[in-house]
Amino acid sequence: MRLIARLDVKNEHVIKGIHFEGLRKVGNPIEMAKNYYAQGIDEIVFIDAVASLYNRNNLLSVIAKASEEVFVPITVGGGLRSIADIEMALSAGADKVAVNTAAILNPGFITEIAKRYGSQCVVASIQAKRIGHDWEAYMEAGREPTGKKVVAWSKELEDLGAGEILLTSIDQDGTKKGFDLPLLRAVNTIVNIPVMISGGCGNTDHVQDLKEIRPSGVCLASVLHYKINTIDEFKQRLTSINGTR
Amino acid sequence: MKKICILDYGLGNVRSVSNALKYVGAHPVISNTPEILKDSHALIVPGVGAFAQGMSALGKDGLQDSLLEYIKSGKHVLGICLGMQLLFDRGDEFGVTTGLGLVPGVVSRIVPRQQSEVRLPHISWAKVDPNPVHENDGGMFDGLPDKQRKFYFLHSYAAQDVPDQFITGRATYSGYTFVASVKRDNIWGAQFHPEKSGPSGLQVLNNFVKNS
């Protein structure tokens, strides 16, 4: 399992909320990325938390700066709507792009990116909200319901050419109460591409919960931002799960 | 300061490679023109994407000829990921495509198509084990003890039927062992991304620059 630091960025600040709301500033994105890299993080995901709402993207200078000193894979998402946006993100130094809203509005966009840059470059981002015993996909940073069922949508995204899925639980986001395991199990079972789970990690025990499902990646936000556990503590826990990492 | 050319044929994460080279003290030049190529100490062929696309991009603007000429001159070349795959005889991603034929081997899916329970692409940090029979890796892994030979992989295809003497490292994914690195004379290949593999990856790039 890859350990991924997730940095949601609003203007020039990393922010963190609960259920995508009540956003608080927690630090400088470049400094935090450098710090997590120095501590041995496997990967970094930057999500522009407001870009999608106003159709803009201010994360590019952050990416350009971070990629000069952070030598692990960097994924960028939030407000990427056109091939021109993708091109800008990649040339700024992103290795992968995460797309949610634009894929909901035009599923062919995923295929278009995959054809042009390869599937390995396309991360399909899903924001899932529990509805009874099922999940609905949301867009616009967790604000707008889409009517799409998450599990079927994840399979569709794979078929469209996504190389990876970033699965975020809106219900668990920021709660530090653990991952939505039924959600992860349902998606991870139906798709045959790697899945990164996001939302809810509050301590190293929550990674232990993933022992059976074994997603490809685990996103950490609050737990790192608020210094509840260190990356090293997570690595040690993963080593005890895997034998080796 | 050594001038290292990064071949920009439209399919590489050239910026990441350039940043990493700067970090290890080299002078990277991103180029797609044969003229600048000639002027450099060594060349890196990066690349993400599909084999056929890669070959067709190299076919444009006489890049392939310049590349072959460059390699013949004896200067060091490092192929990364797709850039490594293109060094082999052929690839069978989206139909059979002829490769550069510089190292014997065929680029195929890591896992046969019928083994559908194995997730692809393979995305992970995997340990690269040196070839126990042919220990001369040309210095690629100098300064990296066993524990630190972990690198970031992102691929669905890998080189197969490569003669053992050219293999310098192997890695394993889901029980499938594949070629992680190769060396033939002045040509190095890395299936992993040294520019994205933290301090260990930077050490490999440093070794490349040093040996160029």
Side-chain angles (χ1 to χ4, degrees), chain B residues 155-203:
Chain B
H155 61 131
S156 297
Y157 286 71
Q160 285 155 27
D161 306 326
V162 182
D164 193 60
Q165 73 212 70
F166 301 129
I167 299 173
T168 56
R170 291 183 174 88
T172 302
Y173 170 58
S174 250
Y176 289 85
T177 297
F178 59 87
V179 176
S181 58
V182 292
K183 174 195 177 289
R184 184 179 190 181
D185 305 324
N186 54 329
I187 303 168
W188 289 11
Q191 180 58 64
F192 55 87
H193 286 278
E195 77 284 8
K196 288 285 151 184
S197 295
S200 298
L202 294 173
Q203 180 68 41

Side-chain angles (χ1 to χ4, degrees), chain B residues 77-124:
Chain B
V77 174
L78 168 64
I80 296 174
C81 198
L82 177 64
M84 161 179 167
Q85 295 180 355
L86 299 178
L87 300 171
F88 295 95
D89 294 323
R90 60 177 201 276
D92 62 9
E93 188 172 5
F94 305 123
V96 176
T97 309
T98 304
L100 295 170
L102 296 163
V103 184
V106 180
V107 177
S108 304
R109 270 169 64 103
I110 307 170
V111 177
R113 213 165 274 278
Q114 52 273 27
Q115 300 296 329
S116 58
E117 80 285 355
V118 180
R119 233 169 261 276
L120 288 179
H122 165 222
I123 313 180
S124 83

Side-chain angles (χ1 to χ4, degrees), chain A residues 2 37 41-43 64 67-74 90-93 95-96 115-118 120 163-164 188-189 191-195 216 245, chain B residues 10-11 13 15-16 19-21 23 48-50 53 115-125 150 152 154-155 173 194-199 202:
Chain A
R2 292 169 285 145
Y37 170 68
I41 200 77
D42 291 333
E43 220 166 306
S67 68
E68 284 171 12
E69 292 179 68
V70 171
F71 299 105
V72 291
I74 295 175
L90 295 176
S91 54
D95 301 286
K96 304 187 257 191
K115 281 223 172 107
R116 201 158 171 138
Y117 303 101
Q120 81 293 323
E164 203 175 353
N188 202 54
T189 307
V191 300
N192 210 25
I193 51 177
V195 176
S216 173
R245 186 157 63 93
Chain B
L11 280 169
N13 50 343
R15 172 131 188 182
S16 298
N19 285 337
L21 283 174
Y23 197 85
V48 287
Q53 249 180 322
Q115 300 296 329
S116 58
E117 80 285 355
V118 180
R119 233 169 261 276
L120 288 179
H122 165 222
I123 313 180
S124 83
W125 289 67
K150 264 186 182 167
Y152 174 73
L154 170 51
H155 61 131
Y173 170 58
E195 77 284 8
K196 288 285 151 184
S197 295
L202 294 173

Side-chain angles (χ1 to χ4, degrees), chain A residues 155-175:
Chain A
K155 187 70 194 164
E156 200 180 329
L157 286 164
E158 176 183 7
D159 294 341
L160 287 165
E164 203 175 353
I165 286 176
L166 170 60
L167 180 62
T168 307
S169 162
I170 297 173
D171 306 287
Q172 300 309 104
D173 172 70
T175 63

Side-chain angles (χ1 to χ4, degrees), chain B residues 5 10-11 18 24 47 49 66 72 92 98 108 126 139 146 149 171 177 199 212:
Chain B
C5 182
L11 280 169
S18 170
V24 301
S66 319
K72 225 183 270 169
D92 62 9
T98 304
S108 304
D146 201 53
R149 288 194 184 192
T177 297
S212 302

Side-chain angles (χ1 to χ4, degrees), chain A residues 1 5 15 17 28 33 37 55 61 64 68 82 93 96-97 111 155 163 168 170 183 186 198 236:
Chain A
M1 280 185 263
I15 46 100
N28 173 289
Y37 170 68
N55 250 338
S61 62
E68 284 171 12
S82 63
K96 304 187 257 191
V97 288
T111 314
K155 187 70 194 164
T168 307
I170 297 173
L183 167 70
S198 179
Q236 281 173 23

